[in-house]
Amino acid sequence: MNLLGSRTIETERLILRSSKMEEQKRLWEILMIPKVNKWYLVGAKKHANNPKHWTWKNQEKFYKVKVDKADNNDIFVWSVFLKPKYTNSGYEEVIGQVSAQENKEDITIRDVGWYIDPIYQGKGFATEAAKAMLAYMFKEVKINGIFSGAVKDNIGSCRIFEKLGFSKIAEVEEDSPYTFYDGVVTFSKYELTREDYCNNENSRI
Ligand SMILES: CC(C)(COP(=O)(O)OP(=O)(O)OC[C@H]1O[C@@H](n2cnc3c(N)ncnc32)[C@H](O)[C@@H]1OP(=O)(O)O)[C@@H](O)C(=O)NCCC(=O)NCCS
């Protein structure tokens, strides 16, 4: 495996870049939208009902810690920017984030994640960003596989796994890890091995 870090990746409509402080406030705003965080944001459950905790004034310090590490060679997290010609404003805009985080002790097996601003959902941007990230992780970083999952009811996310050639390997009920959702959730677990990636045209660019 080559620890190359979050190098810039360009696709037809998007540019994926390592996290910088400039776009973090907008990403925080996007993450604070309930339909974005419901099946995405984990941890800090004890603060779920404390609005003060979630203000930018309080959150900024956590984003600074993230940005300080963003260019380390073992960090694989990208801010997703939409090129000016595809935005509503006519200027480049940050529209979400994709990541390929460590999952197990074996760092060559990754866990992927994504979120997109609701204003820009349903236009194929998550698929485009994820596909580009997979190409980078398998071809350049040379990971051995991805083991990940989504809540079964998260149709959009499950659809991305399926479109990219992942195999559904299990459905399991677990206590919700999500900050703003308590109870039991059914997870669809997905896997994409290096071999599957190389053999499946749908996963590849
Ligand atoms: C999941 C998410 C990233 C998808 O982003 P997106 O840019 O809208 O995704 P795409 O446009 O690439 O769509 C992917 C596929 O899912 C389908 N899809 C997306 N949202 C859907 C929905 N709510 N219901 C049904 N299908 C949906 C799309 O139609 C597309 O399939 P198709 O090509 O066969 O038509 C976005 O909904 C999101 O940010 N959700 C909140 C955060 C989250 O849940 N992250 C994942 C945690 S595992």
Side-chain angles (χ1 to χ4, degrees), residues 3-6 15 17 32 46 51 55 72 74 82 90 121 133 146 156 161 166 173 175 181 191 194 197:
L3 288 174
L4 301 174
S6 318
I15 304 178
R17 300 193 186 97
M32 287 300 103
K46 66 177 180 191
T55 58
N72 292 3
D74 60 345
L82 188 56
Q121 286 181 13
M133 175 174 71
I146 296 171
F161 285 117
F166 282 74
E173 295 203 335
D175 285 333
Y181 187 86
E191 185 180 60
R194 182 170 188 79
Y197 179 79

Side-chain angles (χ1 to χ4, degrees), residues 63-80:
Y63 284 81
K64 278 190 176 136
V65 171
K66 167 183 146 185
V67 167
D68 280 347
K69 299 187 294 192
D71 290 320
N72 292 3
N73 64 8
D74 60 345
I75 297 291
F76 297 95
V77 178
W78 290 266
S79 298
V80 178

Side-chain angles (χ1 to χ4, degrees), residues 35-40 112-118 120-128 148-151 154-161 163 178:
K35 86 180 247 200
V36 176
N37 61 46
K38 186 178 179 190
W39 303 134
Y40 183 86
V112 288
W114 33 67
Y115 67 84
I116 294 288
D117 185 341
Y120 289 110
Q121 286 181 13
K123 298 177 190 301
F125 293 132
T127 306
E128 187 169 324
S148 195
V151 171
N154 191 345
I155 315 272
S157 201
C158 292
R159 182 83 193 106
I160 295 170
F161 285 117
K163 281 174 68 172
Y178 299 107

Side-chain angles (χ1 to χ4, degrees), residues 67-205:
V67 167
D68 280 347
K69 299 187 294 192
D71 290 320
N72 292 3
N73 64 8
D74 60 345
I75 297 291
F76 297 95
V77 178
W78 290 266
S79 298
V80 178
F81 293 88
L82 188 56
K83 293 180 184 175
K85 93 182 201 205
Y86 302 104
T87 61
N88 299 335
S89 65
Y91 297 100
E92 184 180 271
E93 287 179 33
V94 67
I95 62 162
Q97 182 174 284
V98 290
S99 58
Q101 313 266 30
E102 278 180 42
N103 185 2
K104 309 175 174 195
E105 301 89 75
D106 179 356
I107 63 163
T108 73
I109 307 293
R110 312 298 292 191
D111 183 6
V112 288
W114 33 67
Y115 67 84
I116 294 288
D117 185 341
I119 296 168
Y120 289 110
Q121 286 181 13
K123 298 177 190 301
F125 293 132
T127 306
E128 187 169 324
K131 205 167 194 177
M133 175 174 71
L134 257 52
Y136 177 75
M137 294 305 288
F138 278 108
K139 292 181 190 171
E140 298 191 45
V141 181
K142 297 195 186 299
I143 57 169
N144 288 331
I146 296 171
F147 183 77
S148 195
V151 171
K152 192 182 172 188
D153 291 343
N154 191 345
I155 315 272
S157 201
C158 292
R159 182 83 193 106
I160 295 170
F161 285 117
E162 280 152 23
K163 281 174 68 172
L164 296 182
F166 282 74
S167 303
K168 185 167 169 178
I169 51 168
E171 235 175 58
V172 291
E173 295 203 335
E174 289 173 14
D175 285 333
S176 164
Y178 299 107
T179 312
F180 296 115
Y181 187 86
D182 284 328
V184 172
V185 285
T186 305
F187 280 99
S188 297
K189 302 273 184 181
Y190 290 94
E191 185 180 60
L192 183 63
T193 62
R194 182 170 188 79
E195 199 188 354
D196 287 344
Y197 179 79
C198 294
N199 291 332
N200 186 335
E201 272 183 32
N202 294 331
S203 332
R204 289 178 273 133
I205 289 187

